[in-house]
Amino acid sequence: MLKMMVLVFIFLCCLLLLLPSFGFTIDEDLELLNKPTMKTTIVHDGNIYDCVGINKQPAFDHPSLKNHKIQLRPSSYPVGLFDDNSSSSSTNRTTSIEIGLPDGGCPSGTVPIRRLTKENLTRMKLSLKNMRIKNTPMYNDTNEELHHQISNDSYGDTKTRLTTAWTNDDFKSTGCVNYACPGFVQVSKDTPLGIAISPVSTYNGTQRAIELFVFRDPATLNWWFLCGPDKKLVGYWPNSLFTTLAQYGTRLEFGGTAGYTCNTVFPPMGSGHFPDEGYSKSCLFQMVKYIDGDSRSDDLPLLEGAPYSNSPCYKAGDFTESGNKDNYFYFGGPEHNLTIDEDFEIEKQLKLLNKPAIKTIVENGDIFDCVDINKQPAFDHPSLKDHQIQLRPSSLPVGLCDNDKIKSLSGINSMEVGLQESCPSGTVPIKRVKKGQLIGMRSSFKQYKIRPSSSNVNDDASNQRWATMHTPLRPEYQHWYFGASGFVSVYGFPEMLETQASSSVFWVANDDDLNKINHIVVGWLVHPTNNGDKNTRLVAGWTSDNFQSTGCMNSACPGFVQVSKDLPLDITINPVSTYNGTQYSIELYVFRDPVTTNWWFLFGPDKKVVGYWPNKLFTTLAQYATRLEFGGIAEHTSKCNAAFPPIGSGHFPDEGYGKSCLFQMVKFIDINSQSNDLSLFDTTPYSDSSCYKVGDLTKSRNTGNYFYFGGPGGIDC
C-alpha cells in the first residue's frame, strides 16, 4: 500500500474552497477557536495571528486529543526527501516561494493561530452548505488535502492562501479546513495555515511555486505537513483523528477544484488556461512523488496516473516524465459554465458594448475607451436611431446652485470625481466591459435591480431590503415631480461577499402603473459580481417597466447618452468616509429639461453635466414623476439563505453624524423648474427589515433637509 506523501511545485492558481463549522453558536465557536494570546498579536496580510501556548492551541479541544503528547518534529524523514533540492530550484525556471510571518514569527513555546472574527465564522458557516474540499466523486474515503486557496466567502478577500484540510468521514461530520475545527497540531512558529502567499505567478511571465510534503511518521503514525524548499515543519494531524488512514493511504490525487456558493458561475482553475498552452501559461504540478511502505520517496509511475475532469471548462493534461526524471502534468481551465450558444451571445454583446476606441485611458484597474460621441452604445437603442444629441441642458432649474451657500456654512466635504485625463474633444469615455464581468452580470441580472421600494408590490423581492425616505404612495396625495437632488455620504465595504451588493441612491419614479414602473436611479454602488471588485462606484440606471424587459445600470445596455469627457458612469469613487472619521459625500442632480424633455444627470459641486436619458426611453416618466425615494438598498444574488450586506455606513441612524450614513439637502424640482426643499410632511421613512433603519427627515438651516439611514445587515434580515 502507498503511504501518502506529496512533493510538488504548483503554480499559484484559483481554487474556491469552503470551510466547515461546528454546529454550536457563532459566539461559542469563537470562544473555542480564539485562544488567549501570550504575545502581542502579529498583524500580517490583513489578518491577525495570535501567538498561543503550543500546548493550548485549538487542536487539543478535539475529544481524541485530550491527553495527546505533542510531537515537535518527525522521528525520521522519508529516504530521498532531500534529494530533489538541487533540481527544485532551477526546474523550468520556476521560483520556489518561502512562506512565513515576518521577524521570525512567534516566541519559543508559542505558535501562530489566525484569529477568527464573528464575520469570518459567519462566512464559513454560510458557505459550508454548498461545498467542501473533496476529492473526485468516484470515491468516498478518509483523506487529507493540502494546497492553496482563494476564497472570498471564507476570508473576505481574494488573496491566495496556504490551505490544508482533513476528514475522517468525507466531511459528513468530521474535519475542516485549517483551524476551523480542532485537529491539526501547529508546531511552526512562523508558518500558520491560511497565510497569504505572495507574489504569485503571472501569465506568460515569472512563475512561482510552493513545495508541499505530507508523510506518515513510521514511529508515531502521525501525518506530517512540510512546506517550502527548506522542508519547513508546519505541523501534523495526529493518527488518532483517523480510522482507515491511520494505517495507510490507498489513493493519491493531484490537481485543482472549483466551486461556488449559491452563484451559478464557476471560477477559473489553475491559471485559468487549458493544459495545451504549456509552461508559464497553464498551471503545472511537477516533481510528483509518493512514499512507499519502506518510507522511501519515489517518482509516481506514469502508468498509475489517470487524468480526470468532470467539466469541459477544465482539463488535465497527460502525466509526463521529463529528462530530469521530473514527473509533471498541466491542469486547469477558464471560468464559467457557458454553452456554445451562450458564449457566442456573450461575444456578440461584448462587440456591441465595446465600441472602437480613439484613445484608451486606464485608471484604478479600469479601462475607459474614448469613443466617438455619436457612435456610443446609447445609439444602439431602437428608439434612438435618429436621435439628435444634446450637449447641454436648455436651462438649469432655478435655485439649483443655492446649495453652494449652504455648503459654505456647513463644512460639507463634497467630492469631485472624474478621470485624471480627459477624452479628446468629440469623444466620451465608456468603461470597457470584460467578458468575465459580462458573465457575472448575466448570472446575477435577474436579481440585479436597484428598484424603488414600491416595486416589490408585484415582484418577488426576497433577495432585497430597503432603508429609504419616500414621498406619498397613494395617488390622492401624490405630486408631480420634475427632478430631485441630494448629497449622500459615501462608504466602502472591503469585506463584502461576492454574492452581495449595496447601494445608496435616490430614485425619480412614475408608478402610476405598478406593473410598468418607470424610474431613474443615481448614487453609489458596491457590487463585486458585476464589477469584479469591491470598489465604491458611481451608478446610474433606468427602466420603463420595472426591469421586466427594459433598462439597465450604467452602460450595460443602450439608453444613457454620455456627454462628459471625463466623468463616466461606473467610475471608482475615492476616498470614502471612515466611521467616526473624515466624512465624504457626493452631490447628485436629476431633472427634466423643460424644452427637450430629456432627463439630465449632473454631478458634484460644479454641477458637472454627465449625460442624459432621452425622453423616448420612457412611457409615464416621459411626462413627470409621481414619486421620489432617497436611501439605500441591499441585496444578495444567492440562491440559498445568505446574509444581507450593510446599507449606508453599516450603522443605525441613532449613532448620528460621522457614524451613520447621511442624506442631506434633499430637494425636488417642481413644474416651474424650481428647486425646493422636500416638505417634511410629504415624506415617510420605510424599512422592511430590523437589520436597517431610517431616521426622521429633519430641517436644518445649515444642512437643509436631512436624515440618517442604514444598518449592519446580517443573516436574519
Side-chain angles (χ1 to χ4, degrees), residues 83-84 86-88 90-93 286-287 289 299 320-328:
D83 293 349
D84 297 295
S86 58
S87 62
S88 66
S90 59
T91 302
N92 281 332
R93 306 174 303 284
Q286 58 183 326
M287 301 175 70
K289 302 203 172 196
D299 291 329
T320 306
E321 181 179 277
S322 73
N324 296 327
K325 303 295 183 182
D326 172 16
N327 293 352
Y328 69 91

Side-chain angles (χ1 to χ4, degrees), residues 38 104 123 146 155 163 166 189 324 328 375 394 436 462 476 486 527 535 567 586 628 701 710:
M38 297 181 66
R123 290 173 184 271
L146 63 158
Y155 288 94
T163 302
W166 72 275
K189 298 191 301 176
N324 296 327
Y328 69 91
K375 296 180 180 179
S394 305
S462 60
E476 60 268 32
H527 197 313
N535 294 347
L567 182 52
I586 55 174
L628 306 178
R701 175 178 297 179

